[in-house]
Amino acid sequence: MCGIIGYVGGRPCRELILTGLERLEYRGYDSAGFALLDASDGVVEAVRAVGNLSALREAAGLNGGSAATAGLGHTRWATHGRVTTDNAHPHTSADGTVLVVMNGIIENYLELRSELMEQGVVFSSDTDTEVIPHLIHREYAGDLATAVRAVLPRLGGHFAFVAAHVDEPERLVATRRECPLVLGVGDGERFVASAIPAFLRETRDIMLIEDGEVVTIEADEHHVWHGSELLPPRPVERVDWDEDAAEKGGYETFMLKEIHEQPSALWDTIGDRLRPDGSVELLGLGLDDATLARVERIHIVACGTSYHAGLVGRYLIEDWARVPVHVEVASEYRYRTCLAGPGDLIIGITQSGETADTLAAMRVARERGAHVVALTNIMGSQATRDADGVLYTRAGLEIGVAATKTHTAQVMALSLFALKLGRLKWALTAGGALDLADELRRLPDALEAYLASPAPEQVMTVAERYAERPFFLYLGRHVGVPVCFEGALKLKEISYIPTEAYPAGEMKHGPIALLEEGSPVVVVATDGHVFDKVVSNIQEVRARGARVIAVATEGNEEIGRHADDVLWAPRSPALLSAICAVVPLQIFAYGLARARGLNVDQPRNLAKTVTVE
Ligand code: F6R
């Protein structure tokens, strides 16, 4: 969600801050701002604007504050207060001496706001953030770090913020509680940001700021405090991310690039984990094989697309390992009576590793003694720190707000896990496991061949024909159900077209009433034991005049008799069609959104990283 960046160093930093914010755009935002400080003149430039970063650049003009070598910037995703310039960050104390940018939520802000108003403070925004600069101003006696440390215990909620004071223009102070914050250490310069991509072009040396720590940053030094204790220096780590990963690499959008990166995301996620004999090594789960073999119940908690991966995981784990799996959206799980306990395994799936509800659900289960594993794409993310073990997807950085490659990589990681558990539980024979391992290994190649074939272009052409339709119904059975859920979510997210997704067997119990002459119905009809049942459902919807767009396995000769249009999916065993069938649906959603002229990388109202409840 919100993105923050701060810089102190020897270079003019205006452009560094603006490009840093651009590198955080993927997190989602609706307004933005920055402020620059100069050693002699205090705040030399402060600009805020509603809309995207080009609106901010336009509002800022060309040369303001261009020599300033310290500053802070922010992309805001509105939580408290509407999307207005006044609510955009940085927020300041009434006299303008303290500046703050924040990500997260101050839960007790109303109480703090009333207290400050009683003391005569006049607020200029509706945000929760604004209480922070006022509180810091009240505590300030010549040292910003001391004032921030004094304010911290008063703040409820979860947040990360960076503060500046005009009397200390060559220093920033930053802190975090349950929201990410990372320090970038360059030569004679320091960055602080909510995520590494913000400064990756400038330095690869980073230090993660831990919960509750306060860090002071100057050009040549930084110091970390916990409460009143100054912590001993700790080493910086070097990140080896490929900088090109954050570029579009010749594709028209990040989403299209990421759809095409799925074969390599799958290869990398398999990596060296799958051995020639079909056994699977998953380091980092925090459980030895003997303990894992005793697990009797698994709960999967996640949100959105990650939840859909979890639903696929249930089919895989129950079929291959015969262990019951309960899958629930994290925002519900966290407030239900939690019956998990010692002996249960909880898998929290979150590509970003920062989703507030998923983290909270994991925490609830962990407090009850369950073993919690985070399935995530981001090293060092909050989920990895809150869990007992980690299973990484290796999809690389995903910039498009709509998840694609992280989703299929999650399904692959769950397949590896299911295969491992299946062997440990003796639910799979050695031969059976070997066959499945071969199928998993074949999958990335099959997908790569598919993406290089004319099939994706054909999917786009079909999509264009339906671009004006106001509603789509998605139907499927068995593992095709979560595939439908995911396909329908992709379409509504990036094309803003209402969709419903249902198990096909439920159709007669309600959704069939929606159908009229020409209604488009997307049906997942890949090969497998429910194919004939799905064909019966297709006949039922066609009898009501609906147009059927079927997702079918390449080479299926029967489907042409039943469907108006076919989106071909690469051949795979039935359960693994969860990966093969979702890809054409991603492309279908993409084609529709493109035909409608929409910005697929940054759909309205959506954020890549949902750090608030
Ligand atoms: C949809 C999408 C979201 C996320 C959800 C959870 O394309 O990306 O539905 O899947 O916000 O995010 P993570 O996986 O980061 O927890």
Side-chain angles (χ1 to χ4, degrees):
M1 298 204 131
C2 305
I4 55 188
I5 180 163
Y7 173 87
V8 189
R11 291 192 275 166
C13 66
R14 191 177 195 259
E15 197 49 39
L16 289 174
I17 287 180
L18 284 166
T19 35
L21 289 179
E22 277 155 10
R23 310 282 288 182
L24 293 176
E25 278 192 300
Y26 71 92
R27 297 170 71 88
Y29 68 105
D30 41 45
S31 55
F34 70 92
L36 305 178
L37 290 103
D38 182 83
S40 48
D41 298 333
V43 177
V44 286
E45 190 182 8
V47 186
R48 298 181 294 174
V50 165
N52 61 18
L53 289 172
S54 46
L56 182 68
R57 279 188 183 275
E58 198 175 318
L62 282 180
N63 294 317
S66 55
T69 57
L72 65 191
H74 188 263
T75 48
R76 173 174 188 251
W77 189 84
T79 56
H80 294 67
R82 294 177 62 79
V83 181
T84 62
T85 310
D86 281 347
N87 287 337
H89 301 211
H91 288 288
T92 59
S93 54
D95 64 355
T97 54
V98 182
L99 298 90
V100 169
V101 291
M102 184 193 84
N103 168 23
I105 285 182
I106 306 298
E107 280 170 357
N108 58 339
Y109 85 104
L110 282 175
E111 180 193 309
L112 294 169
R113 194 173 162 109
S114 325
E115 177 187 314
L116 288 158
M117 283 167 82
E118 272 165 30
Q119 293 168 9
V121 172
V122 177
F123 279 77
S124 58
S125 79
D126 304 318
T127 64
D128 49 345
T129 305
E130 197 189 336
V131 297
I132 305 176
H134 294 304
L135 289 171
I136 293 176
H137 179 258
R138 203 173 60 173
E139 296 292 336
Y140 188 74
D143 181 52
L144 181 60
T146 307
V148 169
R149 292 206 308 275
V151 165
L152 215 41
R154 303 268 352 250
L155 303 176
H158 50 275
F159 49 79
F161 69 81
V162 182
H165 196 289
V166 290
D167 292 346
E168 301 174 55
E170 290 164 336
R171 172 188 289 180
L172 296 175
V173 177
T175 186
R176 68 175 281 258
R177 186 188 296 157
E178 292 174 29
C179 283
L181 196 64
V182 59
L183 178 70
V185 180
D187 189 12
E189 59 186 6
R190 298 283 187 280
F191 295 81
V192 62
S194 9
I196 296 168
F199 53 70
L200 190 63
R201 279 189 184 164
E202 311 303 328
T203 179
R204 288 171 174 278
D205 290 335
I206 65 128
M207 198 183 88
L208 299 173
I209 311 297
E210 300 293 336
D211 252 7
E213 290 180 344
V214 173
V215 56
T216 61
I217 303 141
E218 295 173 31
D220 292 310
E221 58 190 59
H222 58 265
H223 301 284
V224 183
W225 299 78
H226 200 288
S228 56
E229 186 194 351
L230 177 62
L231 302 180
R234 53 177 187 257
V236 293
E237 293 170 50
R238 176 149 284 228
V239 289
D240 56 4
W241 287 359
D242 177 4
E243 205 186 302
D244 290 345
E247 302 297 340
K248 290 187 191 131
Y251 290 94
E252 60 192 22
T253 60
F254 283 113
M255 185 176 170
L256 193 59
K257 171 173 176 267
E258 287 155 6
I259 286 173
H260 282 265
E261 283 171 347
Q262 292 183 101
S264 62
L266 297 180
W267 274 313
D268 291 346
T269 298
I270 295 174
D272 53 2
R273 292 161 163 172
L274 202 49
R275 301 219 193 87
D277 65 355
S279 62
V280 179
E281 183 164 34
L282 298 177
L283 300 174
L285 292 180
L287 281 175
D288 57 35
D289 283 359
T291 318
L292 187 55
R294 285 197 299 275
V295 163
E296 301 223 321
R297 254 187 342 171
I298 296 177
H299 298 218
I300 296 180
V301 290
C303 303
T305 288
S306 295
Y307 168 69
H308 299 154
L311 291 175
V312 176
R314 176 171 67 193
Y315 286 91
L316 292 163
I317 297 168
E318 291 191 342
D319 196 70
W320 295 354
R322 307 283 152 158
V323 176
V325 181
H326 169 78
V327 192
E328 191 164 352
V329 286
S331 51
E332 288 302 312
Y333 189 92
R334 66 181 290 190
Y335 291 119
R336 221 160 39 79
T337 306
C338 178
L339 299 181
D344 289 340
L345 174 65
I346 310 305
I347 305 178
I349 310 180
T350 162
Q351 72 78 21
S352 63
E354 289 183 38
T355 299
D357 283 319
T358 308
L359 297 179
M362 289 162 62
R363 225 171 282 137
V364 166
R366 197 160 181 232
E367 276 160 15
R368 292 190 47 91
H371 186 89
V372 176
V373 169
L375 170 46
T376 183
N377 197 44
I378 303 291
M379 267 175 70
S381 59
Q382 192 63 37
T384 66
R385 301 190 207 184
D386 288 355
D388 301 296
V390 183
L391 175 54
Y392 282 110
T393 47
R394 297 170 182 152
L397 206 55
E398 188 174 70
I399 306 273
V401 167
T404 51
K405 63 175 179 170
T406 53
H407 172 72
T408 42
Q410 286 166 347
V411 174
M412 178 54 85
L414 288 164
S415 308
L416 294 172
F417 175 80
L419 184 52
K420 179 178 180 70
L421 195 59
R423 280 303 284 146
L424 289 175
K425 290 275 185 190
W426 296 96
L428 288 172
T429 60
L434 196 56
D435 289 346
L436 288 173
D438 286 343
E439 295 292 355
L440 288 177
R441 271 195 214 95
R442 266 198 285 274
L443 207 61
D445 289 329
L447 199 53
E448 186 167 71
Y450 169 82
L451 288 167
S453 76
E457 229 11 84
Q458 287 160 5
V459 174
M460 296 267 196
T461 309
V462 175
E464 279 158 24
R465 282 211 294 279
Y466 288 89
E468 300 308 321
R469 304 304 309 193
F471 169 75
F472 286 76
L473 178 64
Y474 283 67
L475 298 174
R477 280 176 181 263
H478 197 250
V479 79
V481 173
V483 172
C484 281
F485 289 170
E486 178 55 12
L489 178 67
K490 286 285 94 79
L491 186 61
K492 65 171 76 106
E493 280 185 296
I494 62 171
S495 72
Y496 315 142
I497 300 173
T499 60
E500 283 270 23
Y502 263 87
E506 276 289 289
M507 185 187 58
K508 289 197 224 26
H509 303 285
I512 199 163
L514 294 169
L515 300 182
E516 54 190 23
E517 198 60 37
S519 301
V521 181
V522 179
V523 184
V524 175
T526 42
D527 290 0
H529 68 290
V530 291
F531 178 78
D532 291 341
K533 297 274 170 212
V534 173
V535 167
S536 305
N537 295 126
I538 290 181
Q539 278 155 0
E540 285 158 3
V541 299
R542 289 189 101 192
R544 269 93 195 158
R547 280 190 70 84
V548 169
I549 305 156
V551 181
T553 307
E554 271 169 355
N556 182 314
E557 287 173 3
E558 194 187 331
I559 195 70
R561 293 206 299 279
H562 306 293
D564 297 283
D565 290 289
V566 180
L567 314 181
W568 294 112
R571 175 161 292 284
S572 73
L575 274 173
L576 298 180
S577 69
I579 291 180
C580 291
V582 87
V583 176
L585 291 183
Q586 294 167 346
I587 299 170
F588 184 68
Y590 185 89
L592 262 150
R594 189 173 70 175
R596 292 180 151 223
L598 297 167
N599 177 348
V600 294
D601 281 338
Q602 284 164 335
R604 71 181 180 210
N605 302 338
L606 288 175
K608 183 75 185 160
T609 314
V610 186
T611 51
V612 293
E613 222 184 296

